[in-house]
Amino acid sequence: TAIARGDYLGKTEADIKGTGYSVQSLEAALWCFQQTDSFAAAILLAANLGGRALWMVPASFVSMMVAGGLWGLAGFGLPYVEAGILLSVGVLGLAALIRRSIPLVVATALAGAFAVFHGYAHTVEMPIGASALDYALGFIAGTVILHGAGLGAGLALNRVMPVRRTA
């Protein structure tokens, strides 16, 4: 209930802890988005805080990508896959262009929704005769590596260009 009341809004950086506890992690992530003027800046700030706040959006993407992949492997249809993937790129580009922060819950939901399309596309394009497990582990590992590289680049960038805060 403290999060719903917005108690985190009055806290300082020293008061925020991105620990392994889900409530504290959510509070840390929401605090980061409230303190900055863009999505990228919030991610950089979350990276500086560390803890689970740093991994919420990538974890959502990877887990929902797996769900989309399983949906495809089961043989179910998913309309507008290419449009969903294209939209995901467009939304990410737009978020970077307009430099406005968005709530963590929205970022996590969008990442998860778009990831379903990515996972589905991966599995329905799997080569005939390929091991589904090996193939899935490959695209999951590749995605985790790309997210890790992005987080590493964000942390490095933040050393050169510190996060601008709105509050």
Side-chain angles (χ1 to χ4, degrees):
T1 60
I3 291 175
R5 285 192 313 261
D7 291 356
Y8 64 91
L9 296 171
K11 292 188 176 186
T12 66
E13 187 169 343
D15 298 325
I16 298 295
K17 306 288 183 228
T19 67
Y21 296 102
S22 58
V23 172
Q24 288 178 330
S25 296
L26 178 59
E27 178 184 66
L30 291 171
W31 183 85
C32 289
F33 280 95
Q34 184 267 333
Q35 293 292 313
T36 59
D37 64 355
S38 75
F39 179 74
I43 296 300
L44 293 175
L45 183 56
N48 284 336
L49 288 176
R52 290 174 57 136
L54 178 63
W55 303 104
M56 292 176 116
V57 173
S60 172
F61 187 91
V62 173
S63 60
M64 292 306 292
M65 183 185 68
V66 170
L70 290 172
W71 187 262
L73 280 176
F76 296 115
L78 183 64
Y80 308 109
V81 174
E82 291 83 7
I85 292 170
L86 182 60
L87 185 61
S88 73
V89 174
V91 168
L92 178 61
L94 183 62
L97 180 66
I98 64 173
R99 297 181 49 85
R100 296 285 181 254
S101 59
I102 60 174
L104 179 64
V105 69
V106 174
T108 304
L110 282 173
F114 290 143
V116 170
F117 292 108
H118 287 266
Y120 183 87
H122 278 300
T123 57
V124 298
E125 295 173 355
M126 181 174 62
I128 295 173
S131 162
L133 179 61
D134 290 344
Y135 189 78
L137 289 175
F139 76 75
I140 292 167
T143 300
V144 169
I145 290 168
L146 286 172
H147 278 104
L151 290 170
L155 289 169
L157 179 61
N158 196 39
R159 289 178 188 240
V160 177
M161 213 168 64
V163 173
R164 291 184 328 184
R165 298 184 188 180
T166 57

